[in-house]
Amino acid sequence: MNARITTVCLILLAAAVITEACQVPVFRYALERWQPDHYQLVIVHDGNLTSEEQSNVTYLEENLVGPNGPMINLRFEALDLAKEEKQFARWKKLHSDQNASVSIHLFFPFEAFEQDTDPIWNGNFTRNHINQILDSPARRELVKRILAGDSAVWLFLESGNKKEDEALFKTLEKYAKIAEREILVPEGVIQQSALDDPNLRLGPGDEENILESSVPLKIAFSILRISRKDPQEVILRAMLLHLEDDLLDKEMEDKPMLFPAFGKGRVLPPLIGAGISEENTLDDCGYLCGACSCQVKNQNPGMDILVKADWWTALEGSSVIAEKELPPLTGVEDLIAANEPAKDDAGANSGEPEANASSSEVVEQETSTDEPLISNGLVVAVVLVSGILLIGTFVLNKNREQ
């Protein structure tokens, strides 16, 4: 009976530890600790490149990496159809459809060389198209706002009806103010500036709660309007409208869509049309501002978009934990001392093996019991939390159109 009670206590304790180990909000954890997935650009040509085309390749290479490291989550590969390899049949079809000497095809991360995957955008290999892929005014503004401390930037893809879009924009501004008023930063987050306090004492697990940059931490949301006809945002629209299979359907052409963007350019599945409600909008805000209970990026909803930014320089100070000597943890030594077995003076000095059982013997004794306490409790806790995360991901990933 006591063993079962202990097991229940351990389950509750494990669940608390797992779900509350990191109090950093999701939007901030994503900014500082998640790396964006790389889009794939395939350059298809038939025979040798001209000097101008080779110059475009060099231009593309130079824009992928800056003086301080990668500048954009994009990789490219060139395929020469003149090699007549069997696997080129697919690429020959894509290339011929563009009717150009050199064509380019943009894919979501990891999809370029998968079977039966289509590019999200195709075009000719021109300097103008390269620039459109690399950056755009809306994406530059997105980076600027995130680094200024916005929790998320709502990418508002307009319907095209000017009157309705204007009314919805004003409604979204109201939702943003409600979110900023009602949502609080999770307790336990430790600002970088706090590390300079000599009186700071960190407890077990507090390292996870330390912010890794000096970007202002606040609850703030802004709206960035994107026209469906803006030629400068062709690539951004292509990324957003391919996030879900039905976003390009005929009936979706005149519906407004709202994509919350956060971190290093990650977006949540959109709210669409009547689904852009106060309840749904605040649900997204609550998720983004809640404690990051699951730190694995790919187990969270959303998709990365192509963003050109020197995140590493902008977030300088991300190595603060390694470079700065932190105050000592409190309570750990007492915990260890409390769990050490008492030794009598004679046994400690006799050198007899019976006085100090080996660690392997201790483990064997503990694991030979009929009711393993800790392992079962942790397994149940992990399953419980994973179930909650899966349910949350399912809800966030569906089109909430009413």
Side-chain angles (χ1 to χ4, degrees):
M1 184 68 176
N2 289 336
R4 287 190 176 90
I5 293 174
T6 304
T7 301
V8 171
C9 292
L10 287 171
I11 291 173
L12 295 175
L13 177 61
V17 169
I18 292 172
T19 57
E20 297 184 16
C22 178
Q23 293 299 102
V24 176
V26 172
F27 73 85
R28 187 56 172 265
Y29 198 96
L31 176 62
E32 296 178 341
R33 312 187 197 194
W34 288 350
Q35 300 309 322
D37 294 325
H38 285 74
Y39 279 66
Q40 295 175 292
L41 182 67
V42 181
I43 303 171
V44 183
H45 59 101
D46 193 352
N48 294 332
L49 297 174
T50 66
S51 58
E52 180 181 355
E53 291 162 350
Q54 187 58 56
S55 175
N56 286 341
V57 173
T58 302
Y59 177 77
L60 177 58
E61 289 176 333
E62 291 173 345
N63 275 274
L64 298 185
V65 181
N68 299 310
M71 288 291 293
I72 185 171
N73 52 320
L74 176 70
R75 295 186 178 129
F76 76 89
E77 183 167 342
L79 297 180
D80 186 355
L81 298 179
K83 294 181 179 179
E84 292 294 337
E85 296 188 22
K86 292 182 179 179
Q87 63 267 32
F88 283 174
R90 171 196 182 201
W91 299 105
K92 287 181 178 179
K93 174 66 168 61
L94 290 172
H95 180 65
S96 63
D97 289 345
Q98 295 305 307
N99 193 28
S101 59
V102 182
S103 61
I104 50 178
H105 312 270
L106 184 65
F107 290 83
F108 277 133
F110 317 115
E111 292 190 358
F113 297 96
E114 294 292 328
Q115 292 292 332
D116 302 323
T117 56
D118 295 320
I120 62 173
W121 180 88
N122 301 284
N124 299 343
F125 190 41
T126 64
R127 188 67 60 93
N128 180 54
H129 282 160
I130 293 173
N131 287 331
Q132 285 184 330
I133 292 171
L134 293 174
D135 208 359
S136 69
R139 283 180 281 170
R140 285 194 294 273
E141 183 63 22
L142 170 64
V143 172
K144 179 181 176 181
R145 295 187 188 186
I146 287 176
L147 291 176
D150 276 12
S151 308
V153 179
W154 295 342
L155 301 179
F156 172 30
L157 185 60
E158 298 175 337
S159 68
N161 185 311
K162 186 175 181 180
K163 184 177 180 180
E164 292 180 1
D165 289 335
E166 192 63 35
L168 182 53
F169 177 75
K170 293 179 179 178
T171 300
L172 290 173
E173 289 183 315
K174 294 178 182 178
Y175 294 165
K177 291 179 181 178
I178 294 173
E180 292 166 3
R181 184 173 63 248
E182 295 185 355
I183 298 176
L184 302 176
V185 173
E187 293 183 3
V189 179
I190 301 172
Q191 301 271 4
Q192 257 197 32
S193 57
L195 300 178
D196 295 324
D197 183 357
N199 297 318
L200 176 66
R201 291 294 179 267
L202 299 178
D206 276 348
E207 294 93 337
E208 282 291 327
N209 299 326
I210 299 174
L211 300 184
E212 295 191 350
S213 75
S214 57
V215 172
L217 178 65
K218 57 186 179 180
I219 304 299
F221 300 92
S222 62
I223 306 113
L224 189 56
R225 301 174 71 160
I226 302 170
S227 168
R228 288 181 178 263
K229 297 181 179 180
D230 187 348
Q232 298 184 86
E233 302 300 340
V234 170
I235 302 300
L236 177 57
R237 286 197 302 274
M239 289 186 283
L240 296 178
L241 292 174
H242 281 84
L243 284 177
E244 295 183 348
D245 293 337
D246 60 346
L247 298 183
L248 287 170
D249 290 351
K250 184 74 173 177
E251 59 267 25
M252 294 289 187
E253 289 180 355
D254 60 350
K255 291 186 180 295
M257 300 181 185
L258 192 68
F259 300 81
F262 62 103
K264 293 186 177 77
R266 190 170 181 83
V267 296
L268 293 180
L271 300 175
I272 305 171
I276 307 177
S277 64
E278 179 177 340
E279 179 182 359
N280 289 336
T281 305
L282 294 183
D283 280 348
D284 279 352
C285 294
Y287 161 72
L288 292 172
C289 296
C292 191
S293 59
C294 180
Q295 290 106 24
V296 180
K297 185 186 76 169
N298 291 332
Q299 292 180 4
N300 285 267
M303 170 72 78
D304 298 321
I305 60 173
L306 265 177
V307 174
K308 185 177 182 182
D310 188 355
W311 296 112
W312 289 262
T313 298
L315 298 173
E316 188 174 3
S318 60
S319 58
V320 61
I321 297 177
E323 296 177 354
K324 193 169 207 141
E325 184 177 351
L326 300 178
L329 297 176
T330 60
V332 176
E333 293 179 358
D334 293 339
L335 182 62
I336 295 174
N339 283 278
E340 286 184 345
K343 301 177 182 178
D344 68 350
D345 295 337
N349 296 321
S350 66
E352 295 182 7
E354 290 80 8
N356 288 296
S358 69
S359 59
S360 61
E361 291 172 340
V362 173
V363 171
E364 183 177 351
Q365 292 171 7
E366 291 178 350
T367 56
S368 64
T369 59
D370 294 334
E371 296 183 42
L373 303 182
I374 296 179
S375 59
N376 286 346
L378 286 176
V379 168
V380 174
V382 169
V383 171
L384 182 63
V385 173
S386 298
I388 294 172
L389 288 172
L390 286 172
I391 293 171
T393 300
F394 173 77
V395 173
L396 284 171
N397 270 317
K398 68 178 182 178
N399 285 342
R400 287 156 293 181
E401 182 180 13
Q402 299 175 355

